[in-house]
Amino acid sequence: MKLPSILRRTPFRLTLLFLALFAAAASAILAYVYFASASEARTKAERDVRGEMQVLSGIYEARGFDALNREVIDRTLRESAFLYRLEAADSDGQGTGSLTVLPLETVVDDQQWTTFVFTDTDAEGRVTRPQVRGVQRRLKDGGMLFVGQSLSDTEAYLARLTQALWTAMGIVLLLGLAGGVLVSRNLERTMGRLNKVVTAVQEGDLKARAVVRNSGDELDELGSGLNTMLDRLEGSMASIRHAGDAIAHDLRSPLTRMRAKLEVALMDAEAGRIDGVDAVQLALDEADNLLKTFNTVLAIARLQAAAGRTPDPKVFDAADLAADMAELYEPASEDKGLEFSAEIERGLMIEGNQPFLAQALANIIDNAIKYTPTGGAVMLRARRRSSGEIEYSVTDTGPGVPEADRERVIERFVRLDNSRTEAGSGLGLALVGAVMEAHGGRILLDEGPGEYGGFGPGLRVALVLPAAE
């Protein structure tokens, strides 16, 4: 038979384990209390009996057997707390005292301790059988004297104590069991809500979220973690859908253009105006542009999949990367008739993925060179900001970007009207933004040096990164 789900929960099983451990510990404590109390009662009884025996032995030594016999009779009649039995050497089992017979038939030494069960009646006439602890002594004339004490009061106390402890243990076990059921039920209810969220997500509902009670416990942490994971999953799926739609939309034009060029090249080749090599070269150029677009989209997807974590991070000097970029792009600037300059501070340590950062920096330098008219200028800087962050910046004297469009140009496949005449896919700054997000940095677009001599207002693009710790 399958147990109810609430009884199969881990909290309920842990509750049972705790209760079992508690019961074992309580039983050990109960046994210790019982035996310690019994030992203490036994020791006290022996001490009292020893004192009483000394008193009676003193009477016997001082005044003889007859005086001792009278004293035993007198103490028995007074209902003393002790039990007595006195027999003369030749009494043939006859004697005096509260006991009818001696507990021991013979005594090995002068005196001997013993414990036995004594049948008696209490004040209400009920038969009792308490234990008696006493000592039996052989007198000089051969007689026997026994003095003992009943342990009935101690036994009654131990019985009450044991009953109270067992009752308390039973109450605690019942309360613990009820608490375990309650905790398991609450946990089952909470886990049930989480399972509903997981089931909904499995069925395709990425909007489902766990309820967070703000109690600060581990279930809230689990729910918050699950919600964060679902937020990222939903964002990733949205990015994938957006990328797919954008790629399908944006590649339609280059694919159409590629087909048109191939069709024209085919007609020109058939008419003898060009040869087949030129036609194939056109197809290869268009295919390269498509592959470049795909590679850029895949790079952005990889960075966004990192979810704010830098892929393969290493600590390096940002100044070295800036110097390499300056050396790489200075000739290209001069070929276009641009003035290229660089201001680079040293000792700018950052932690990141150097290839991705190099690609981001190359994109903004390439854009600056591409959109700055001949005779203009491009400047690359690498410096430490007053906040301690590391900043790359590229400033040009080109047409710039209107302030209203500066946030939009970082999005994928966005190209402004003044850039339509240049080749490109609109993914350059989108890749830069993805690189900054993965490195915990940010991209800033500001106006350049302003309009002067027919140039401007220009654009300043800054990449701000946290310094390495």
Side-chain angles (χ1 to χ4, degrees):
M1 183 179 65
K2 189 176 182 180
L3 293 175
S5 62
I6 192 173
L7 302 182
R8 301 196 304 270
R9 297 297 179 187
T10 299
F12 185 77
R13 294 179 179 179
L14 292 178
T15 299
L16 292 181
L17 177 60
F18 170 76
L19 292 178
L21 293 176
F22 173 79
S27 299
I29 293 174
L30 176 61
Y32 172 77
V33 171
Y34 180 87
F35 287 109
S37 299
S39 176
E40 178 63 24
R42 184 188 185 99
T43 301
K44 181 178 180 302
E46 289 181 357
R47 185 170 57 250
D48 294 341
V49 168
R50 191 176 291 109
E52 184 71 4
M53 177 61 79
Q54 289 178 354
V55 172
L56 295 178
S57 297
I59 295 175
Y60 172 76
E61 296 292 339
R63 291 182 286 168
F65 184 85
D66 292 336
L68 175 61
N69 188 50
R70 288 192 297 272
E71 184 66 24
V72 169
I73 294 174
D74 184 57
R75 293 186 179 226
T76 301
L77 294 175
R78 290 203 306 264
E79 296 185 356
S80 171
F82 297 96
L83 299 175
Y84 306 97
R85 181 64 182 178
L86 177 63
E87 292 184 6
D90 55 354
S91 63
D92 195 20
Q94 300 298 317
T96 57
S98 50
L99 297 179
T100 57
V101 295
L102 288 169
L104 299 174
E105 294 182 359
T106 59
V107 176
V108 178
D109 299 321
D110 290 340
Q111 64 180 20
Q112 184 174 341
W113 288 89
T114 184
T115 302
F116 61 94
V117 177
F118 175 62
T119 302
D120 196 7
T121 56
D122 58 14
E124 298 178 358
R126 292 175 299 190
V127 176
T128 60
R129 297 176 61 83
Q131 280 193 336
V132 175
R133 179 65 175 170
V135 62
Q136 185 170 321
R137 179 182 178 185
R138 180 185 294 109
L139 302 176
K140 293 181 179 180
D141 58 3
M144 290 288 184
L145 172 62
F146 172 83
V147 178
Q149 189 176 49
S150 172
L151 302 179
S152 59
D153 292 341
T154 301
E155 291 178 347
Y157 165 74
L158 292 176
R160 292 192 299 271
L161 177 63
T162 302
Q163 183 178 5
L165 290 176
W166 280 115
T167 302
M169 187 188 305
I171 294 174
V172 170
L173 291 177
L174 289 176
L175 292 177
L177 189 61
V181 172
L182 180 61
V183 170
S184 297
R185 181 174 298 173
N186 291 337
L187 180 62
E188 183 178 26
R189 187 179 300 113
T190 302
M191 294 303 296
R193 290 195 292 265
L194 294 177
N195 286 331
K196 287 182 179 179
V197 173
V198 174
T199 302
V201 173
Q202 289 176 343
E203 294 175 352
D205 183 11
L206 296 181
K207 297 292 184 181
R209 294 295 184 271
V211 177
V212 179
R213 302 169 298 172
N214 296 321
S215 61
D217 59 7
E218 61 277 6
L219 293 177
D220 264 7
E221 293 178 358
L222 177 61
S224 298
L226 180 61
N227 289 342
T228 301
M229 180 189 69
L230 291 176
D231 289 339
R232 292 180 177 176
L233 177 61
E234 184 181 12
S236 298
M237 295 300 295
S239 298
I240 292 173
R241 286 194 296 268
H242 175 73
D245 295 342
I247 289 174
H249 179 270
D250 207 69
L251 291 184
R252 182 184 305 168
S253 296
L255 284 173
T256 303
R257 185 170 60 250
M258 178 179 178
R259 186 183 185 283
K261 288 185 178 181
L262 289 176
E263 188 175 1
V264 171
L266 177 61
M267 289 187 297
D268 289 343
E270 290 176 347
R273 288 188 291 271
I274 62 173
D275 58 17
V277 175
D278 293 334
V280 173
Q281 186 61 48
L282 287 173
L284 289 175
D285 292 341
E286 291 298 322
D288 288 341
N289 290 332
L290 290 176
L291 288 174
K292 183 177 180 181
T293 300
F294 272 115
N295 289 333
T296 304
V297 171
L298 290 176
I300 294 174
R302 179 187 174 191
L303 289 169
Q304 291 179 336
R309 297 184 300 273
T310 306
D312 303 324
K314 294 181 180 179
V315 177
F316 63 95
D317 192 345
D320 293 338
L321 177 59
D324 292 341
M325 290 294 105
E327 183 179 356
L328 178 64
Y329 281 94
E330 185 174 2
S333 297
E334 293 176 352
D335 290 343
K336 190 178 178 182
L338 303 178
E339 180 183 348
F340 187 93
S341 59
E343 294 181 1
I344 302 173
E345 296 181 13
R346 307 304 302 181
L348 306 177
M349 305 306 296
I350 60 175
E351 182 178 7
N353 183 293
Q354 188 168 356
F356 273 125
L357 289 174
Q359 182 63 55
L361 193 55
N363 282 5
I364 61 175
I365 297 175
D366 185 69
N367 281 346
I369 295 174
K370 182 188 300 184
Y371 296 112
T372 301
T374 301
V378 175
M379 173 173 281
L380 169 64
R381 290 188 178 92
R383 67 186 184 93
R384 186 183 302 275
R385 295 164 63 99
S386 58
S387 61
E389 296 172 302
I390 307 302
E391 177 188 276
Y392 292 113
S393 66
V394 177
T395 306
D396 62 60
T397 59
V401 175
E403 185 175 356
D405 295 326
R406 288 174 188 167
E407 291 186 4
R408 195 167 63 90
V409 294
I410 304 177
E411 299 176 2
R412 287 187 292 186
F413 303 106
V414 172
R415 303 187 68 196
L416 302 181
D417 292 338
N418 59 2
S419 65
R420 292 293 179 181
T421 57
E422 298 288 345
S425 61
L427 292 171
L429 288 180
L431 177 61
V432 175
V435 171
M436 290 299 98
E437 182 180 356
H439 286 76
R442 60 190 186 277
I443 177 173
L444 305 175
L445 276 70
D446 299 307
E447 188 173 296
E451 295 185 3
Y452 179 77
F455 295 98
L459 181 67
R460 180 180 181 273
V461 181
L463 308 182
V464 182
L465 296 160
E469 297 181 357

